[in-house]
Amino acid sequence: MLTLVPTPIGNIGDISLRAIEALSEADILLCEDTRVTKKLIHILKERYNTQFDKTQEFISLHSHNEQSFVEKLEPSFFEQNVVYVSDAGMPGISDPGQVLVDYCIKNSVSYDILPGANAVLTAFVASGFVETQMLFLGFLDHKGASRAAGLNEALHNGYTTILYESPHRIEKLLKEIAESEPARELFIAKELSKKFQRYLRGTASEILKTLDGNFKGEWVVVIKAGEKQNSSAITQKDILELDLPKKVQAKLIAKITGENTKACYQRLMQS
């Protein structure tokens, strides 16, 4: 069978007993990065005296070769005890894994998914935003119209929305949010479960000021739910770039966001 095993997102103490058992009993370990998995197994041997079979086979399976690997699979491959692990967290959440599960379903191969460490849920609960519905969008595209559309979706879908962001682009993301939604409340978490874990809550501008250029680390960004925006190809940013009176801009923005026109006008006058 196939077992998808989540691994710690930072603190090794978050490994579960079931995960240790699954890793130690695997005949084949499919790994997003074999070096990372071997390092994890070494730690488990040293810290928890876990016994591993020296004949275990390690196979690299990452986002670039996942599809081609699965296309060559035969169901008989899973007559062995096969485990898949990504580098950190739950496989299939912004990491490979779902294509394997889909293969198992289509080919009647038994599979199991172990629960475990997950940055999305950890940050959602830590945010303190009381809405019980949330939307996870993963990483936005790096640039261009697709990024702008993705950010617009994140800000105006009506749900608490969670994004992942790298240290190279977290400043850019916060500046984009500050420009589009200056009053929107955010919660951002840095290096969850690790030594330098940090929580920050406030508007994008407030958080940028607090960070003061220190953007190192992996980030989870939780955007508090706003009013659901009517489906439109035009964004608030597009309207603000037009050479129009503030009152006209406010009326147009209110049409696509559902915001009160007077409140929108006052916000534009203060910006």
Side-chain angles (χ1 to χ4, degrees):
M1 67 177 294
L2 169 71
T3 305
L4 267 62
V5 177
T7 53
I9 58 176
N11 191 322
I12 190 64
D14 292 335
I15 191 81
S16 72
L17 294 176
R18 289 182 68 195
I20 293 174
E21 183 179 13
L23 290 170
S24 65
E25 294 180 355
D27 297 312
I28 295 177
L29 283 156
L30 303 176
C31 318
E32 184 178 10
D33 187 327
T34 57
R35 296 166 298 180
V36 173
T37 304
K38 287 178 180 179
K39 182 178 179 180
L40 171 63
I41 286 175
H42 176 74
I43 293 172
L44 294 177
K45 287 178 180 178
E46 293 291 316
R47 188 171 299 187
Y48 300 111
N49 296 316
T50 308
Q51 299 299 312
F52 287 83
D53 191 332
K54 293 182 180 180
T55 65
Q56 284 183 323
E57 183 180 359
F58 293 80
I59 299 175
S60 180
L61 180 60
H62 45 74
S63 59
H64 300 295
N65 74 344
E66 183 181 25
Q67 191 63 49
S68 60
F69 179 88
V70 170
E71 287 173 357
K72 298 173 185 176
L73 276 179
E74 295 291 338
S76 58
F77 179 76
F78 296 98
E79 291 175 2
Q80 306 166 91
N81 190 7
V82 181
V83 162
Y84 176 74
V85 289
S86 54
D87 290 346
M90 175 65 73
I93 305 296
S94 289
D95 281 324
Q98 292 289 56
V99 176
L100 277 173
V101 173
D102 181 61
Y103 177 90
C104 290
I105 292 170
K106 290 177 178 176
N107 292 276
S108 300
V109 173
S110 297
Y111 69 94
D112 195 13
I113 315 296
L114 303 191
N118 178 264
V120 178
L121 296 179
T122 303
F124 178 63
V125 175
S127 73
F129 296 151
V130 297
E131 295 84 358
T132 57
Q133 294 181 314
M134 64 99 164
L135 183 64
F136 173 60
L137 296 183
F139 289 93
L140 296 180
D141 288 342
H142 296 175
K143 57 185 178 180
S146 58
R147 179 178 177 84
L151 181 59
N152 189 57
E153 168 66 13
L155 292 170
H156 302 297
N157 58 62
Y159 298 100
T160 296
T161 300
I162 303 175
L163 305 173
Y164 284 162
E165 195 51 275
S166 72
H168 310 294
R169 282 182 290 276
I170 184 65
E171 180 182 18
K172 176 182 178 181
L173 176 62
L174 290 171
K175 286 182 176 179
E176 289 170 334
I177 295 174
E179 181 180 357
S180 299
E181 288 286 316
R184 185 71 66 89
E185 191 170 9
L186 308 177
F187 171 84
I188 69 171
K190 169 187 175 180
E191 297 287 279
L192 281 171
S193 84
K194 300 177 185 178
K195 181 179 180 180
F196 297 105
Q197 173 179 291
R198 190 177 185 186
Y199 294 161
L200 291 169
R201 184 165 166 165
T203 66
S205 295
E206 290 169 346
I207 291 172
L208 279 166
K209 185 176 180 180
T210 301
L211 289 175
D212 193 27
N214 181 15
F215 303 113
K216 292 181 180 179
E218 298 299 323
W219 299 86
V220 185
V221 179
V222 186
I223 304 171
K224 189 173 185 179
E227 291 293 326
K228 185 173 182 180
Q229 180 170 300
N230 298 327
S231 179
S232 172
I234 300 176
T235 67
Q236 175 175 292
K237 183 179 178 182
D238 294 330
I239 294 171
L240 292 175
E241 290 175 349
L242 296 174
D243 185 18
L244 295 171
K246 295 290 186 184
K247 285 187 177 181
V248 177
Q249 289 180 337
K251 287 180 180 179
L252 291 173
I253 291 171
K255 285 284 187 183
I256 65 170
T257 64
E259 186 178 1
N260 178 272
T261 303
K262 185 177 180 179
C264 182
Y265 175 72
Q266 291 175 344
R267 175 168 63 82
L268 295 183
M269 291 302 293
Q270 292 170 0
S271 62

